[in-house]
Amino acid sequence: MDYRRWFTADVEQPYRVALIAFPGIRAFDVSVITEVYGADRTDRGVPAFDLRRVATGTTPIPMRGGLSLHPDRTLDWLAEADLVVVPGLDDHLTPAPPPVLDALRHAHARGTTLAALCGGAFTLAQAGLLDGRRAITHWNLVELFRTHHPHVTVVPDALFIEDDHIWTAAGTAAGIDLCLHLVRTAHGAEAAATIARSMVTAPFRAGTQAQFIEHPTPRADRDADALAAVREHALRHLHEPLTVADLAAHAGMSPRTFARHFTAATGTTPLRWLLDQRVAAAQRLLERTDLPMPEVARRAGFGSEVTMRQHFASRLATSPRAYRAAFSAAAPVSEPAGSSPIAR
């Protein structure tokens, strides 16, 4: 994701989000989009969002469970949107209205970011927007998706991915992860964490994490507490030069056994998880403090500014200095030495 496209945005103007609506969309995904972008949290430092329910007309749209959605804008409003989000579908082969497909094509041609939750990828694929691109959907829909859209490169094991400003996500809870990630990329880690806290959900799950976790076994159940304790220990000691071997020793396991159980329990490797947490910690320090770059790198556990810069480039497509320039708080504060930037 190229953060630079956000740096020149008008910070005074609400971030405009279009929720695409037509018969057949899932109520759960509509609720996720509305909870993330439809609540006013400006009193807690979250930027203002302008969420609109966009459809071919303003007639109420029925949804499963006796619910209905009342559009407040027509498709013309997509020309003003910064982000267009497509909910999943109750029937994943539901055809979207042709005007919706045309509007999505035009939005992408303008450079607008598009995002689809769960089976919403089928809608983007109907529009031809995923042909020749990488995409993901719910693990149980992968073969159906491949059958109906053979020109899409389906990534079978991820929570969410991006290709040419088009985001797709796996099922259900991964839609929350993607929406929070989109907030993080556009408005910073602290804004996403604030929304996550209000939703009582995890503030950060990397898109590369596997969407399908193995069913627990009796041994895995016994290991669960040890692995949770190791993750908590790591978060409180990120400023130390932790290694996977260190974490394994803390769990009382060999490195190989620890790595196997950790991946089975979390869907990601210990090293990738540790690096993701260090990047997240550095993001928060850059947003919330005026600490010099070497000190940010030390507290996040990178050891040097050069190493931190390399990981920012590979994971965020930006530099720590550019990230701070875009997302630092108006009144930075210095945190006490040795404190965890994520424990708060």
Side-chain angles (χ1 to χ4, degrees):
M1 182 67 179
D2 187 352
Y3 279 69
R4 291 170 296 182
R5 69 190 302 256
W6 305 110
F7 290 173
T8 58
D10 182 355
V11 295
E12 299 300 324
Q13 180 174 305
Y15 187 75
R16 295 157 298 190
V17 181
L19 188 165
I20 295 293
F22 57 88
I25 58 174
R26 294 180 69 215
F28 178 86
D29 293 341
V30 170
S31 298
V32 167
I33 299 164
T34 302
E35 182 63 28
V36 173
Y37 290 107
D40 183 0
R41 301 181 179 92
T42 52
D43 61 329
R44 282 166 278 175
V46 176
F49 299 126
D50 183 8
L51 174 65
R52 300 294 176 175
R53 293 156 292 280
V54 178
T56 56
T58 55
T59 302
I61 294 172
M63 296 188 295
R64 183 176 291 179
L67 304 174
S68 63
L69 183 146
H70 293 251
D72 53 13
R73 291 293 187 274
T74 61
L75 294 169
D76 292 339
W77 195 76
L78 294 192
E80 303 179 37
D82 300 299
L83 170 66
V84 176
V85 189
V86 183
L89 307 167
D90 288 323
D91 178 350
H92 306 292
L93 299 181
T94 298
V100 168
L101 300 179
D102 286 339
L104 289 171
R105 295 185 194 106
H106 290 310
H108 181 255
R110 286 191 298 270
T112 305
T113 298
L114 306 182
L117 310 189
C118 193
F122 284 80
T123 301
L124 294 183
Q126 287 178 41
L129 291 170
L130 298 180
D131 287 353
R133 296 190 171 99
R134 299 163 64 249
I136 186 62
T137 187
H138 190 287
W139 61 268
N140 199 37
L141 301 174
V142 166
E143 292 308 317
L144 181 69
F145 193 81
R146 283 174 169 157
T147 298
H148 287 269
H149 301 287
H151 299 297
V152 181
T153 301
V154 182
V155 178
D157 201 13
L159 292 181
F160 52 83
I161 61 173
E162 180 264 346
D163 195 331
D164 192 22
H165 303 308
I166 299 178
W167 292 86
T168 50
T172 315
I176 300 174
D177 295 318
L178 175 55
C179 286
L180 290 174
H181 180 76
L182 292 171
V183 171
R184 189 180 302 111
T185 59
H187 306 289
E190 188 64 22
T194 299
I195 295 174
R197 283 193 294 270
S198 70
M199 294 175 64
V200 196
T201 190
F204 179 77
R205 288 204 299 170
T208 53
Q209 179 172 325
Q211 57 174 296
F212 183 76
I213 307 300
E214 296 178 12
H215 291 294
T217 63
R219 172 59 189 269
D221 289 339
R222 291 196 299 271
D223 290 339
D225 288 344
L227 293 175
V230 168
R231 292 195 295 272
E232 177 66 19
H233 170 78
L235 291 177
R236 294 188 178 279
H237 295 83
L238 280 178
H239 58 285
E240 299 176 7
L242 295 173
T243 65
V244 174
D246 294 332
L247 299 182
H250 191 80
M253 303 178 188
S254 70
R256 180 173 295 183
T257 299
F258 173 76
R260 184 172 68 253
H261 286 294
F262 191 98
T263 302
T266 67
T268 190
T269 66
L271 180 59
R272 179 176 289 170
W273 179 87
L274 188 59
L275 289 174
D276 285 339
Q277 301 307 317
R278 283 179 164 155
V279 169
Q283 286 178 284
R284 293 190 63 181
L285 287 168
L286 291 168
E287 291 181 34
R288 296 172 54 176
T289 78
D290 58 358
L291 294 168
M293 290 295 167
E295 181 63 11
V296 171
R298 186 191 71 79
R299 293 195 186 195
F302 287 117
S304 73
E305 183 180 352
V306 171
T307 302
M308 180 173 69
R309 188 163 59 245
Q310 291 170 343
H311 286 292
F312 263 64
S314 64
R315 280 170 160 72
L316 306 179
T318 189
S319 69
R321 293 182 186 279
Y323 186 90
R324 169 172 275 173
F327 298 123
S328 63
V333 295
S334 296
E335 297 190 358
S339 65
S340 169
I342 6 189
R344 292 174 174 74

